[in-house]
Amino acid sequence: MKTLLIASDPEITRIVEEYSRSAGDDLTVAPHTRDARKLITVQEYDALLMDCSVRPMELISFTAEAGERLAETVVLLIGPLDQDQREKLGRRLSAHYSVDKPLRRQVFREIMERVAIRSTIVRRTGLTGNSPVMEEIIQTIVQVGPTSITVLITGESGVGKEVIARAVHAVSSRAEQPFLAVNCAALADGVLESELFGHEKGSFTGAAARRIGMFEKAHGGTIFLDEIGEIPHSTQIRLLRVLEEREIMRVGGTESIPVDVRIIAATNRDLRDLVEKRRFRRDLYYRIKVLEVNVPPLRRRQEDIPLLIDRLVRRFAADNGTLVRRFDEEAKSYLSRATWPGNVRELRNFVESVLALTNRPVIGLTDIPEHLLSDVYQQNTLPARREKTPEQVERELIYRTLIELKSDLTEIKGMLRDFSLQGLAGESPKLMEVIPVQPGGDITLEEMERQAVIDALRQTQGNRRKAARLLGIGERTLYRKLKQHDIHES
């Protein structure tokens, strides 16, 4: 890998240099972020290592300025960072890990092996995302990639199932061998069998010569069967033979041909339902579903959208030979709130349309053509922009949310008041202690939330993890609430 280290600590530098020599990495050391700023303008790096114990805010500023230049760089944060600083850094990085100080050689070596694999995935497939669910998928890829087990990838249309398949192939021992993709839904029944298994000359009308199928072409590598739920029954039988016997027979042929191919399948349909309806063979289903990777829709990983936008912008520039432009933070934040029913495919089409129709180097909301923005708003029920400024649109969304929250809060207060009057407080002591009820007066949502956080911390003697569990929120959310309400634990 081409690795950039930002550190002035001689011990960290020595350990990283030792590892880089043993791994054959090309290491560059920058004592300060000002040196790193110059380096990344002329060179792209596979991995960026940052010592976070000194000037963490400077690192945050550096990653903000570096922007899309780090879109394909895996980052390792070395040393202590508080939760807020980690979140600020994480929002700007497509892939990042962390390791504590003092830096231990064996621990560092293990995490750098993960960094190297992740870097391979990013470089070869462009797989982007730092949401928890995407991190879990990537860790699964890292674990199953080196094996040869069959993988089934499920998810809605457009989520990027082929990208996941390519990532599995990229980290396997077959990475240098062919990766062939077949869309099973796009081919007629007879054509599909010929495409997959090949055919002999004269096996059917029009078979003027022998044809080598995809399984033979993919020998030693990986074959990706997209929309596998659409294959006909006769093809299912042939495919089962490949999985069980590791051999094929060409259409019209009599000779069994051994093949060494890893099969990765994908579908946006419920195969179990197809099995129950007898439209998909049960034995084939279990042979395919050795390991299932479910890719969530984009609306369930909205924190990945800004990173995807940066990635798509870079790819557009590379494909069309244009300068790399960017969407500003306000535009990316606003687009992240859309549900994108077409998932990554829809987002890609949107970004490419905007880039084709807009010449500005930095694209804001007001620069996006009205008809493109309106389409996104209408299908995702976001407030229509029309002639409003971005601030007005943002305010409208907030007001709508607050009105809904106030309605819910009024109902909850009424229920709690009734419980209190009926003497039920003793039956729900935690609830009544965490959310104090004032039967005779009004309380704002902000006041109630602040008091709930204070009381939860008091009950748990300041233990943030227990307080978050008591409130029913994540620990990261609790940190934000402490800062938002200016709560200082005693």
Side-chain angles (χ1 to χ4, degrees):
M1 295 187 297
K2 290 186 180 296
T3 305
L4 174 62
L5 169 66
I6 304 176
S8 55
D9 185 328
E11 180 62 18
I12 289 179
T13 303
R14 182 162 54 251
I15 292 174
V16 175
E17 286 178 338
E18 289 176 1
Y19 172 81
S20 297
R21 280 196 298 270
S22 65
D25 290 348
D26 181 2
L27 175 68
T28 303
V29 180
H32 303 285
T33 55
R34 62 175 177 269
D35 304 308
R37 283 186 176 90
K38 299 175 183 177
L39 290 167
I40 64 172
T41 59
V42 296
Q43 173 69 59
E44 289 189 353
Y45 293 91
D46 302 313
L48 169 64
L49 282 55
M50 300 193 293
D51 178 8
C52 302
S53 59
V54 182
R55 300 181 296 277
M57 295 308 296
E58 187 176 322
L59 293 177
I60 293 172
S61 174
F62 167 72
T63 56
E65 292 178 18
E68 65 275 0
R69 287 194 292 275
L70 295 179
E72 296 184 358
T73 302
V74 182
V75 179
L76 176 62
L77 309 174
I78 304 172
L81 282 175
D82 64 35
Q83 194 68 23
D84 182 60
Q85 291 166 342
R86 285 188 185 278
E87 287 184 2
K88 287 180 178 177
L89 281 169
R91 284 195 295 268
R92 298 184 174 95
L93 305 175
S94 60
H96 65 286
Y97 299 92
S98 61
V99 62
D100 293 330
K101 294 177 66 175
L103 202 57
R104 306 182 194 282
R105 284 174 171 78
Q106 184 57 34
V107 173
F108 178 72
R109 178 175 294 277
E110 290 173 358
I111 199 165
M112 282 301 293
E113 289 173 355
R114 293 169 61 189
V115 168
I117 293 174
R118 184 68 180 270
S119 176
T120 299
I121 293 173
V122 172
R123 285 199 316 271
R124 295 191 180 184
T125 69
L127 183 61
T128 299
N130 60 15
S131 60
V133 68
M134 283 305 297
E135 182 60 31
E136 184 178 341
I137 287 175
I138 289 167
Q139 290 309 312
T140 300
I141 292 171
V142 170
Q143 290 175 350
V144 306
T147 71
S148 290
I149 64 172
T150 304
V151 178
L152 174 64
I153 305 172
T154 58
E156 294 179 5
S157 178
V159 294
K161 296 187 286 293
E162 184 172 339
V163 175
I164 302 296
R166 290 184 180 275
V168 173
H169 176 74
V171 298
S172 73
S173 58
R174 303 170 182 267
E176 302 305 321
Q177 300 301 319
F179 175 94
L180 301 181
V182 182
N183 188 331
C184 300
L187 300 171
D189 296 358
V191 176
L192 178 61
E193 287 199 8
S194 175
E195 186 73 16
L196 292 176
F197 308 109
H199 63 252
E200 297 290 351
K201 179 180 178 180
S203 57
F204 55 85
T205 303
R210 171 185 287 179
R211 177 186 175 87
I212 303 299
M214 299 290 263
F215 274 99
E216 287 184 79
K217 292 178 181 178
H219 184 74
T222 302
I223 188 167
F224 174 58
L225 303 177
D226 197 9
E227 304 299 349
I228 195 169
E230 307 298 330
I231 63 177
H233 191 269
S234 60
T235 308
Q236 292 180 32
I237 297 173
R238 284 179 171 271
L239 184 57
L240 184 62
R241 179 179 178 85
V242 177
L243 286 164
E244 291 183 340
E245 306 296 336
R246 296 294 168 181
E247 61 183 27
I248 65 163
M249 187 178 294
R250 299 190 190 109
V251 177
T254 57
E255 178 186 357
S256 293
I257 304 169
V259 290
D260 174 22
V261 177
R262 182 183 197 165
I263 296 177
I264 302 178
T267 181
N268 60 6
R269 304 188 64 179
D270 185 347
L271 289 186
R272 288 171 298 183
D273 182 58
L274 295 180
V275 169
E276 293 303 319
K277 293 178 179 177
R278 299 188 176 184
R279 295 173 57 186
F280 198 87
R281 292 181 61 96
R282 189 179 298 274
D283 47 5
L284 178 59
Y285 170 66
Y286 288 122
R287 288 305 305 245
I288 287 174
K289 190 179 175 292
V290 178
L291 176 79
E292 181 177 351
V293 178
N294 180 259
V295 186
L298 206 51
R299 60 183 174 275
R300 283 179 45 202
R301 49 187 179 102
Q302 291 179 315
E303 58 265 58
D304 291 338
I305 292 177
L307 299 171
L308 283 167
I309 291 174
D310 289 340
R311 165 72 184 173
L312 293 168
V313 168
R314 286 171 61 88
R315 196 175 83 171
F316 181 88
D319 291 346
N320 294 277
T322 61
L323 294 175
V324 176
R325 292 178 282 158
R326 66 183 179 89
F327 285 69
D328 66 21
E329 292 301 316
E330 181 187 39
K332 288 192 289 188
S333 175
Y334 199 69
L335 294 171
S336 295
R337 293 195 296 274
T339 55
W340 301 103
N343 295 297
V344 180
R345 184 180 294 123
E346 181 187 359
L347 179 64
R348 181 184 66 236
N349 293 340
F350 174 84
V351 169
E352 290 179 352
S353 296
V354 171
L355 292 172
L357 298 173
T358 309
N359 294 321
R360 293 177 63 86
V362 179
I363 301 169
L365 274 176
T366 56
D367 303 313
I368 299 175
E370 181 69 31
H371 69 280
L372 294 178
L373 208 53
S374 296
D375 286 345
V376 173
Y377 291 156
Q378 288 171 10
Q379 64 190 10
N380 295 293
T381 65
L382 285 175
R385 183 182 125 201
R386 297 178 186 172
E387 297 303 321
K388 300 174 184 176
T389 65
E391 292 77 16
Q392 288 173 321
V393 175
E394 182 92 13
R395 197 177 302 118
E396 178 182 330
L397 187 64
I398 293 171
Y399 285 164
R400 183 182 301 175
T401 304
L402 287 175
I403 290 170
E404 294 172 356
L405 286 173
K406 183 178 180 182
S407 175
D408 292 342
L409 179 60
T410 302
E411 183 178 350
I412 292 170
K413 286 169 60 179
M415 292 171 59
L416 292 175
R417 186 178 297 112
D418 291 341
F419 290 158
S420 179
L421 293 175
Q422 294 171 20
L424 295 180
E427 297 179 17
S428 305
K430 286 187 178 180
L431 179 62
M432 300 308 292
E433 289 173 15
V434 174
I435 306 180
V437 182
Q438 300 179 9
D442 293 326
I443 180 171
T444 67
L445 174 62
E446 186 174 359
E447 290 168 347
M448 176 175 282
E449 185 176 75
R450 187 178 193 278
Q451 189 60 46
V453 172
I454 292 173
D455 288 347
L457 287 169
R458 185 181 298 120
Q459 287 185 49
T460 58
Q461 288 78 49
N463 187 310
R464 295 183 176 183
R465 180 171 297 176
K466 292 181 179 178
R469 192 179 302 120
L470 183 62
L471 290 165
I473 61 177
E475 193 172 351
R476 182 181 298 180
T477 303
L478 178 60
Y479 277 93
R480 290 200 297 269
K481 296 300 180 186
L482 292 174
K483 184 176 180 181
Q484 175 185 339
H485 298 298
D486 195 26
I487 298 173
H488 303 283
E489 303 153 86
S490 56

